[in-house]
Amino acid sequence: MIRAILWLQVGLAVVLFGSDLLRVLPRLAMPSQAPELDTPLRPGDQTRRYRPAEIAPRTAPPGTTRPVPAPQDMPSRLLFEAALWEERETLTLTGTIAPGDAERLEEFLLARPAPPELVYLNSPGGSVGDALAIGRRLRGLEVETRMFGTDICLSACPYLLAAGVARSVEEGAMVGVHQHFFGENRALPAFLAVEDIQRGQGEVMGYLDEMDVDTRIMRPALLTPPDEIYLLTEAEMAAFRLAPYPVPEAE
């Protein structure tokens, strides 16, 4: 009886591992065939290849001014830089959102003489948990979030954009969403892994509701695999109440 139970457990493990392998192998053998990130968009043609390690800051046109100079390389974790811009305390968040960045930002803010009023974003995304924590901290400060035309805000970064009590995205900036991993352990049984994913999605939807973003934004996110990114059009950002926000009143 004990041997039978043991072999049953081994068999279940093999089945679960095999099903995971069969699901992952096609993605490994045939990576995304979507166009490169900088390929011009057209409505309905908005899915682009997402390789965050290869994303570099885009060059701004000559004469462009920013609160702080754009870095030559995208930082591997958020870079916090403070400046006075438009006579307002301004914070720029640049780079990948790495685990622990929420705590780092808190330390940075506590060391500043005054809280920021404006926050500029330029990030390929990263840790969802840290993005939600940072977003709630920024909302507590009632900041305005912005993007310049050469900035990107992909993957988990739109949750930072959503944190602003006012939000604006210049023409040319890229804002994109896709599926998230939520840090689940692949060695977990399938039902526990699914439970983690669903809990993570529930947390994200609750956060979007807090920020007054239409949760329908999750539809293109859930339909786009992690190695691709769905770039939102200006009309979609307005429809989802992401940017501009508050939505301008009709004249």
Side-chain angles (χ1 to χ4, degrees):
M1 180 64 71
I2 294 175
R3 286 184 178 179
I5 293 173
L6 176 61
W7 282 111
L8 178 62
Q9 291 176 332
V10 170
L12 287 172
V14 170
V15 170
L16 290 172
F17 177 77
S19 63
D20 269 359
L21 195 61
L22 287 174
R23 183 172 58 84
V24 171
L25 277 178
R27 303 294 300 186
L28 294 177
M30 186 178 295
S32 170
Q33 299 301 302
E36 294 291 345
L37 187 63
D38 58 358
T39 304
L41 291 184
R42 292 177 301 174
D45 174 27
Q46 297 160 242
T47 302
R48 296 292 179 263
R49 201 171 306 177
Y50 178 72
R51 293 176 294 200
E54 300 177 15
I55 296 176
R58 294 192 290 164
T59 303
T64 302
T65 58
R66 303 173 62 100
V68 296
Q72 296 298 312
D73 298 305
M74 190 65 74
S76 59
R77 65 185 316 162
L78 280 181
L79 175 64
F80 313 130
E81 296 177 285
L84 192 64
W85 182 256
E86 299 179 354
E87 299 184 355
R88 300 167 72 183
E89 290 291 333
T90 302
L91 173 66
T92 63
L93 302 180
T94 309
T96 300
I97 307 168
D101 277 350
E103 290 80 2
R104 291 180 56 241
L105 176 62
E106 185 64 29
E107 294 172 0
F108 179 88
L109 293 174
L110 291 174
R112 295 290 305 163
E117 299 175 60
L118 299 178
V119 175
Y120 280 89
L121 304 169
N122 189 15
S123 169
S127 167
V128 177
D130 283 82
L132 300 185
I134 291 171
R136 288 192 170 101
R137 183 69 171 98
L138 296 180
R139 175 54 67 93
L141 295 174
E142 298 186 346
V143 303
E144 178 180 345
T145 51
R146 296 181 180 180
M147 293 177 62
F148 287 106
T150 53
D151 290 338
I152 61 170
C153 189
L154 310 176
S155 186
C157 177
Y159 305 138
L160 306 186
L161 178 62
V165 294
R167 316 187 271 264
S168 60
V169 175
E170 284 188 2
E171 183 179 356
M174 295 181 181
V175 179
V177 295
H178 65 175
Q179 298 169 3
H180 295 308
F181 282 117
F182 297 102
E184 70 268 16
N185 186 341
R186 305 289 297 173
L188 287 175
F191 75 93
L192 291 178
V194 170
E195 182 180 315
D196 280 354
I197 294 169
Q198 292 181 340
R199 182 185 297 111
Q201 297 291 2
E203 290 175 359
V204 167
M205 293 183 72
Y207 173 87
L208 293 173
D209 188 55
E210 288 176 41
M211 304 300 159
D212 195 33
V213 174
D214 192 329
T215 54
R216 288 181 302 164
I217 197 174
M218 292 297 292
R219 185 178 185 277
L222 292 173
L223 291 174
T224 307
D227 62 344
E228 296 178 354
I229 199 81
Y230 180 90
L231 297 177
L232 299 167
T233 64
E234 183 178 329
E236 286 174 324
M237 285 189 275
F240 294 140
R241 300 193 301 274
L242 182 60
Y245 179 88
V247 177
E249 295 182 3
E251 297 182 0

